[in-house]
Amino acid sequence: MQIFHPTSAPLIMAVFCSLLSSLVGGPVVVKYSREPVTKTEGHFLSLKCLVQYEIQNCDIVNNWWYIKPAEGEAAPETEPKLITDPNHYVITVNETQKEQMRQRNIFLSFNSLSLKDSGYYQCDAKCLNSGTAAKGHLVYLNVTADPYKGLKVSTWSGQLKADAAVLAFSAILFLCCY
Ligand SMILES: *[C@@H]1O[C@H](CO)[C@@H](O)[C@H](O)[C@H]1NC(C)=O
Ligand SMILES: *[C@@H]1O[C@H](CO)[C@@H](O)[C@H](O)[C@H]1NC(C)=O
């Protein structure tokens, strides 16, 4: 994951559409990290969703969803909202093939996080052929206020201190998130 900003915390989600499940309409296995992500506003963040499926039995469609948190409690409140706004999110997809399996990465990236991005994120996938669908857990993204936001326009040395503190904070997050 070195290609990303060093403080990005990609999440891994694997959705398996197996031959068996698409034939008998059985369960689809979903695997990924459900660790909440905490990040300071203004930073870059990329969430990764990994979908694995069988080429022959699964024409895949997948989406990222956003659920606004309830005021003052941890439970989700609103209906999941499909993430589409290209002005705020960048969604990139790549795919590799290994024998009969395909692996698709769907990255949901924020160039500059804002406090409003706090909430639950979820990735899902569906095999069009069989209708078999898989949904990941809700992952909580906690965007915290940048305590140095106002200080950055002050003196040069003040700026330096603020940046150093932000870097130190990022380093701690980096260790925690991996
Ligand atoms: C997808 O792209 C990312 C970033 O460009 C890269 O790190 C990753 O290896 C690629 N994965 C596949 C399966 O091609
Ligand atoms: C978000 O993170 C901050 C700092 O770690 C913490 O104080 C706050 O309680 C968190 N908020 C939620 C809703 O988890």
Side-chain angles (χ1 to χ4, degrees), residues 138-167:
L138 299 178
V139 173
Y140 187 67
L141 171 62
N142 179 0
V143 181
T144 55
D146 181 357
Y148 299 101
K149 207 176 179 178
L151 296 180
K152 284 185 177 163
V153 288
S154 64
T155 65
W156 196 76
S157 67
Q159 158 109 51
L160 210 60
K161 269 186 212 142
D163 283 351
V166 171
L167 277 175

mmCIF file of all heavy atoms in Angstrom, residues 138-167:
data_model
loop_
_atom_site.group_PDB
_atom_site.id
_atom_site.type_symbol
_atom_site.label_atom_id
_atom_site.label_comp_id
_atom_site.label_asym_id
_atom_site.label_seq_id
_atom_site.Cartn_x
_atom_site.Cartn_y
_atom_site.Cartn_z
ATOM 1 N N LEU A 138 -20.441 -2.621 8.626
ATOM 2 C CA LEU A 138 -20.313 -1.172 8.637
ATOM 3 C C LEU A 138 -18.972 -0.823 9.261
ATOM 4 O O LEU A 138 -18.621 -1.356 10.312
ATOM 5 C CB LEU A 138 -21.433 -0.553 9.461
ATOM 6 C CG LEU A 138 -22.848 -0.812 8.963
ATOM 7 C CD1 LEU A 138 -23.853 -0.168 9.917
ATOM 8 C CD2 LEU A 138 -23.043 -0.275 7.562
ATOM 9 N N VAL A 139 -18.230 0.050 8.607
ATOM 10 C CA VAL A 139 -16.957 0.515 9.162
ATOM 11 C C VAL A 139 -17.129 1.970 9.553
ATOM 12 O O VAL A 139 -17.584 2.781 8.741
ATOM 13 C CB VAL A 139 -15.829 0.395 8.128
ATOM 14 C CG1 VAL A 139 -14.556 1.036 8.653
ATOM 15 C CG2 VAL A 139 -15.588 -1.051 7.795
ATOM 16 N N TYR A 140 -16.785 2.271 10.798
ATOM 17 C CA TYR A 140 -16.969 3.646 11.255
ATOM 18 C C TYR A 140 -15.744 4.501 10.952
ATOM 19 O O TYR A 140 -14.623 4.131 11.302
ATOM 20 C CB TYR A 140 -17.269 3.680 12.761
ATOM 21 C CG TYR A 140 -17.631 5.072 13.206
ATOM 22 C CD1 TYR A 140 -18.818 5.657 12.765
ATOM 23 C CD2 TYR A 140 -16.781 5.818 14.011
ATOM 24 C CE1 TYR A 140 -19.154 6.948 13.130
ATOM 25 C CE2 TYR A 140 -17.112 7.110 14.386
ATOM 26 C CZ TYR A 140 -18.300 7.664 13.949
ATOM 27 O OH TYR A 140 -18.620 8.942 14.299
ATOM 28 N N LEU A 141 -15.976 5.612 10.292
ATOM 29 C CA LEU A 141 -14.915 6.584 10.040
ATOM 30 C C LEU A 141 -15.153 7.790 10.942
ATOM 31 O O LEU A 141 -16.220 8.413 10.886
ATOM 32 C CB LEU A 141 -14.911 7.024 8.566
ATOM 33 C CG LEU A 141 -13.999 8.198 8.222
ATOM 34 C CD1 LEU A 141 -12.531 7.890 8.485
ATOM 35 C CD2 LEU A 141 -14.179 8.610 6.764
ATOM 36 N N ASN A 142 -14.169 8.078 11.765
ATOM 37 C CA ASN A 142 -14.268 9.174 12.728
ATOM 38 C C ASN A 142 -13.302 10.278 12.280
ATOM 39 O O ASN A 142 -12.098 10.132 12.427
ATOM 40 C CB ASN A 142 -13.896 8.619 14.115
ATOM 41 C CG ASN A 142 -13.943 9.662 15.207
ATOM 42 O OD1 ASN A 142 -14.258 10.820 14.957
ATOM 43 N ND2 ASN A 142 -13.624 9.254 16.426
ATOM 44 N N VAL A 143 -13.833 11.340 11.690
ATOM 45 C CA VAL A 143 -12.979 12.447 11.264
ATOM 46 C C VAL A 143 -12.953 13.469 12.392
ATOM 47 O O VAL A 143 -13.994 13.975 12.802
ATOM 48 C CB VAL A 143 -13.487 13.097 9.963
ATOM 49 C CG1 VAL A 143 -12.558 14.221 9.529
ATOM 50 C CG2 VAL A 143 -13.611 12.054 8.859
ATOM 51 N N THR A 144 -11.752 13.720 12.910
ATOM 52 C CA THR A 144 -11.621 14.624 14.048
ATOM 53 C C THR A 144 -11.136 15.992 13.582
ATOM 54 O O THR A 144 -10.470 16.101 12.546
ATOM 55 C CB THR A 144 -10.642 14.049 15.088
ATOM 56 O OG1 THR A 144 -9.402 13.776 14.440
ATOM 57 C CG2 THR A 144 -11.164 12.761 15.682
ATOM 58 N N ALA A 145 -11.482 17.006 14.346
ATOM 59 C CA ALA A 145 -11.105 18.377 14.005
ATOM 60 C C ALA A 145 -9.590 18.535 14.073
ATOM 61 O O ALA A 145 -8.926 17.921 14.908
ATOM 62 C CB ALA A 145 -11.777 19.340 14.963
ATOM 63 N N ASP A 146 -9.048 19.330 13.168
ATOM 64 C CA ASP A 146 -7.617 19.623 13.166
ATOM 65 C C ASP A 146 -7.352 20.733 14.175
ATOM 66 O O ASP A 146 -7.747 21.871 13.954
ATOM 67 C CB ASP A 146 -7.204 20.073 11.756
ATOM 68 C CG ASP A 146 -5.717 20.382 11.678
ATOM 69 O OD1 ASP A 146 -5.033 20.305 12.715
ATOM 70 O OD2 ASP A 146 -5.260 20.696 10.571
ATOM 71 N N PRO A 147 -6.684 20.413 15.302
ATOM 72 C CA PRO A 147 -6.487 21.417 16.348
ATOM 73 C C PRO A 147 -5.569 22.552 15.901
ATOM 74 O O PRO A 147 -5.515 23.595 16.539
ATOM 75 C CB PRO A 147 -5.868 20.632 17.497
ATOM 76 C CG PRO A 147 -5.270 19.419 16.875
ATOM 77 C CD PRO A 147 -6.083 19.121 15.646
ATOM 78 N N TYR A 148 -4.833 22.364 14.811
ATOM 79 C CA TYR A 148 -3.870 23.376 14.361
ATOM 80 C C TYR A 148 -4.381 24.169 13.169
ATOM 81 O O TYR A 148 -3.643 24.946 12.596
ATOM 82 C CB TYR A 148 -2.546 22.705 14.010
ATOM 83 C CG TYR A 148 -1.946 22.013 15.201
ATOM 84 C CD1 TYR A 148 -2.067 20.640 15.348
ATOM 85 C CD2 TYR A 148 -1.315 22.757 16.202
ATOM 86 C CE1 TYR A 148 -1.545 20.011 16.471
ATOM 87 C CE2 TYR A 148 -0.797 22.133 17.312
ATOM 88 C CZ TYR A 148 -0.908 20.762 17.445
ATOM 89 O OH TYR A 148 -0.404 20.146 18.553
ATOM 90 N N LYS A 149 -5.633 23.947 12.819
ATOM 91 C CA LYS A 149 -6.211 24.576 11.631
ATOM 92 C C LYS A 149 -5.996 26.087 11.627
ATOM 93 O O LYS A 149 -5.553 26.649 10.646
ATOM 94 C CB LYS A 149 -7.705 24.266 11.599
ATOM 95 C CG LYS A 149 -8.292 24.257 10.207
ATOM 96 C CD LYS A 149 -9.746 23.841 10.309
ATOM 97 C CE LYS A 149 -10.429 23.812 8.980
ATOM 98 N NZ LYS A 149 -11.823 23.360 9.141
ATOM 99 N N GLY A 150 -6.321 26.734 12.758
ATOM 100 C CA GLY A 150 -6.222 28.182 12.847
ATOM 101 C C GLY A 150 -4.796 28.682 12.991
ATOM 102 O O GLY A 150 -4.499 29.822 12.680
ATOM 103 N N LEU A 151 -3.906 27.811 13.441
ATOM 104 C CA LEU A 151 -2.536 28.235 13.743
ATOM 105 C C LEU A 151 -1.653 28.299 12.508
ATOM 106 O O LEU A 151 -0.612 28.912 12.517
ATOM 107 C CB LEU A 151 -1.891 27.252 14.736
ATOM 108 C CG LEU A 151 -2.528 27.181 16.118
ATOM 109 C CD1 LEU A 151 -1.785 26.181 16.989
ATOM 110 C CD2 LEU A 151 -2.525 28.560 16.777
ATOM 111 N N LYS A 152 -2.080 27.643 11.457
ATOM 112 C CA LYS A 152 -1.203 27.493 10.304
ATOM 113 C C LYS A 152 -0.904 28.789 9.574
ATOM 114 O O LYS A 152 0.033 28.861 8.802
ATOM 115 C CB LYS A 152 -1.791 26.461 9.340
ATOM 116 C CG LYS A 152 -1.568 25.072 9.892
ATOM 117 C CD LYS A 152 -2.013 23.990 8.951
ATOM 118 C CE LYS A 152 -1.693 22.631 9.547
ATOM 119 N NZ LYS A 152 -2.427 21.554 8.893
ATOM 120 N N VAL A 153 -1.699 29.833 9.819
ATOM 121 C CA VAL A 153 -1.432 31.113 9.169
ATOM 122 C C VAL A 153 -0.605 32.025 10.067
ATOM 123 O O VAL A 153 -0.291 33.136 9.698
ATOM 124 C CB VAL A 153 -2.743 31.833 8.766
ATOM 125 C CG1 VAL A 153 -3.381 31.125 7.579
ATOM 126 C CG2 VAL A 153 -3.699 31.900 9.932
ATOM 127 N N SER A 154 -0.256 31.561 11.267
ATOM 128 C CA SER A 154 0.537 32.405 12.180
ATOM 129 C C SER A 154 2.006 32.425 11.759
ATOM 130 O O SER A 154 2.337 32.258 10.600
ATOM 131 C CB SER A 154 0.378 31.908 13.619
ATOM 132 O OG SER A 154 0.903 30.600 13.739
ATOM 133 N N THR A 155 2.917 32.595 12.693
ATOM 134 C CA THR A 155 4.336 32.730 12.340
ATOM 135 C C THR A 155 4.888 31.454 11.727
ATOM 136 O O THR A 155 4.336 30.374 11.902
ATOM 137 C CB THR A 155 5.174 33.049 13.600
ATOM 138 O OG1 THR A 155 5.093 31.916 14.466
ATOM 139 C CG2 THR A 155 4.682 34.285 14.301
ATOM 140 N N TRP A 156 6.004 31.597 11.058
ATOM 141 C CA TRP A 156 6.614 30.467 10.375
ATOM 142 C C TRP A 156 6.984 29.359 11.357
ATOM 143 O O TRP A 156 6.738 28.192 11.123
ATOM 144 C CB TRP A 156 7.863 30.947 9.630
ATOM 145 C CG TRP A 156 8.296 29.937 8.619
ATOM 146 C CD1 TRP A 156 7.727 29.692 7.406
ATOM 147 C CD2 TRP A 156 9.377 29.014 8.740
ATOM 148 N NE1 TRP A 156 8.386 28.688 6.752
ATOM 149 C CE2 TRP A 156 9.408 28.253 7.548
ATOM 150 C CE3 TRP A 156 10.335 28.767 9.732
ATOM 151 C CZ2 TRP A 156 10.367 27.259 7.333
ATOM 152 C CZ3 TRP A 156 11.285 27.767 9.508
ATOM 153 C CH2 TRP A 156 11.283 27.026 8.312
ATOM 154 N N SER A 157 7.564 29.739 12.502
ATOM 155 C CA SER A 157 7.964 28.726 13.482
ATOM 156 C C SER A 157 6.726 28.063 14.088
ATOM 157 O O SER A 157 6.741 26.884 14.401
ATOM 158 C CB SER A 157 8.832 29.345 14.571
ATOM 159 O OG SER A 157 8.083 30.237 15.355
ATOM 160 N N GLY A 158 5.658 28.859 14.221
ATOM 161 C CA GLY A 158 4.399 28.292 14.726
ATOM 162 C C GLY A 158 3.892 27.237 13.765
ATOM 163 O O GLY A 158 3.474 26.162 14.172
ATOM 164 N N GLN A 159 3.987 27.538 12.492
ATOM 165 C CA GLN A 159 3.563 26.604 11.446
ATOM 166 C C GLN A 159 4.359 25.307 11.527
ATOM 167 O O GLN A 159 3.819 24.222 11.449
ATOM 168 C CB GLN A 159 3.797 27.267 10.085
ATOM 169 C CG GLN A 159 3.917 26.287 8.941
ATOM 170 C CD GLN A 159 2.732 26.320 8.027
ATOM 171 O OE1 GLN A 159 2.324 27.384 7.575
ATOM 172 N NE2 GLN A 159 2.165 25.178 7.757
ATOM 173 N N LEU A 160 5.662 25.480 11.715
ATOM 174 C CA LEU A 160 6.548 24.319 11.770
ATOM 175 C C LEU A 160 6.152 23.400 12.920
ATOM 176 O O LEU A 160 6.058 22.191 12.766
ATOM 177 C CB LEU A 160 7.986 24.816 11.957
ATOM 178 C CG LEU A 160 9.085 23.951 11.354
ATOM 179 C CD1 LEU A 160 8.895 23.829 9.854
ATOM 180 C CD2 LEU A 160 10.450 24.541 11.673
ATOM 181 N N LYS A 161 5.899 24.021 14.069
ATOM 182 C CA LYS A 161 5.509 23.235 15.239
ATOM 183 C C LYS A 161 4.204 22.497 14.980
ATOM 184 O O LYS A 161 4.049 21.344 15.305
ATOM 185 C CB LYS A 161 5.339 24.152 16.450
ATOM 186 C CG LYS A 161 6.607 24.307 17.272
ATOM 187 C CD LYS A 161 6.307 25.119 18.523
ATOM 188 C CE LYS A 161 7.506 25.942 18.940
ATOM 189 N NZ LYS A 161 7.123 27.251 19.450
ATOM 190 N N ALA A 162 3.252 23.229 14.380
ATOM 191 C CA ALA A 162 1.945 22.640 14.119
ATOM 192 C C ALA A 162 2.085 21.447 13.184
ATOM 193 O O ALA A 162 1.533 20.389 13.421
ATOM 194 C CB ALA A 162 1.012 23.689 13.524
ATOM 195 N N ASP A 163 2.866 21.609 12.125
ATOM 196 C CA ASP A 163 3.044 20.526 11.168
ATOM 197 C C ASP A 163 3.716 19.313 11.806
ATOM 198 O O ASP A 163 3.351 18.184 11.556
ATOM 199 C CB ASP A 163 3.873 20.993 9.964
ATOM 200 C CG ASP A 163 3.035 21.835 9.018
ATOM 201 O OD1 ASP A 163 1.804 21.894 9.239
ATOM 202 O OD2 ASP A 163 3.595 22.422 8.097
ATOM 203 N N ALA A 164 4.717 19.588 12.646
ATOM 204 C CA ALA A 164 5.417 18.501 13.319
ATOM 205 C C ALA A 164 4.446 17.722 14.201
ATOM 206 O O ALA A 164 4.457 16.502 14.222
ATOM 207 C CB ALA A 164 6.559 19.060 14.150
ATOM 208 N N ALA A 165 3.576 18.440 14.893
ATOM 209 C CA ALA A 165 2.609 17.788 15.769
ATOM 210 C C ALA A 165 1.638 16.946 14.957
ATOM 211 O O ALA A 165 1.295 15.830 15.336
ATOM 212 C CB ALA A 165 1.863 18.830 16.582
ATOM 213 N N VAL A 166 1.215 17.468 13.826
ATOM 214 C CA VAL A 166 0.290 16.716 12.978
ATOM 215 C C VAL A 166 0.966 15.456 12.462
ATOM 216 O O VAL A 166 0.387 14.390 12.434
ATOM 217 C CB VAL A 166 -0.241 17.592 11.809
ATOM 218 C CG1 VAL A 166 -1.021 16.753 10.820
ATOM 219 C CG2 VAL A 166 -1.114 18.707 12.350
ATOM 220 N N LEU A 167 2.233 15.586 12.099
ATOM 221 C CA LEU A 167 2.975 14.430 11.608
ATOM 222 C C LEU A 167 3.096 13.353 12.679
ATOM 223 O O LEU A 167 2.918 12.177 12.409
ATOM 224 C CB LEU A 167 4.369 14.853 11.147
ATOM 225 C CG LEU A 167 4.448 15.404 9.732
ATOM 226 C CD1 LEU A 167 5.849 15.899 9.437
ATOM 227 C CD2 LEU A 167 4.025 14.361 8.719
#
